[in-house]
Amino acid sequence: MNLRQAAIGAAALDAGAIVVFSAIGRASHDEGILGPGGSGLATTAWPFLAGAGIGWVLARAWRRPCDWRRTGLAVWASTLAGGMLLRAASGQGVQVSFVIVAGTFLAVSLIGWRVVSGWIATRRGLKG
């Protein structure tokens, strides 16, 4: 796998984790995936997706997409902070308990898959 493929895969994993997070949140509040007007999941996910995009740019994540320290931490922090700021700016709720739950889920998913990936690569002698 080349670096471009790794970056595309990493971006897809990040986006997928954010969409899953958003879908679980909507389901846990009985809001349904589509919600009123059919845009429920998109309305919930877009602030976090935008935050992740900003994190990717700031970390230049395409250079080391699977590095949990350089990329994972930056993408996680940007997804959480940017997502919450954009939610607040767009009139969506930002309660402390939500920030804690979001921070935990997003850390486990956005950093977690990178940690596992690095562990597998090290075991296979593919470090780098």
Side-chain angles (χ1 to χ4, degrees):
M1 177 182 311
N2 66 35
L3 187 57
R4 183 172 188 267
Q5 291 170 323
I8 291 168
L13 283 171
D14 287 349
I18 292 165
V19 170
V20 166
F21 163 71
S22 300
I24 290 169
R26 292 191 63 78
S28 71
H29 294 284
D30 295 324
E31 294 175 328
I33 297 298
L34 295 178
S39 63
L41 184 58
T43 299
T44 303
W46 81 262
F48 298 103
L49 291 168
I54 292 166
W56 266 73
V57 170
L58 292 175
R60 296 180 181 186
W62 55 89
R63 292 182 176 180
R64 295 184 62 98
C66 300
D67 185 326
W68 75 267
R69 288 178 188 94
R70 294 181 191 169
T71 303
L73 290 172
V75 170
W76 166 72
S78 182
T79 301
L80 183 61
M84 292 301 168
L85 289 171
L86 290 168
R87 277 182 64 87
S90 65
Q92 298 183 54
V94 182
Q95 292 75 24
V96 173
S97 59
F98 176 59
V99 175
I100 293 167
V101 169
T104 303
F105 184 96
L106 292 170
V108 168
S109 57
L110 298 176
I111 298 169
W113 76 257
R114 288 175 168 92
V115 170
V116 171
S117 171
W119 179 78
I120 291 169
T122 300
R123 286 189 44 98
R124 292 184 176 174
L126 303 173
K127 190 68 178 160

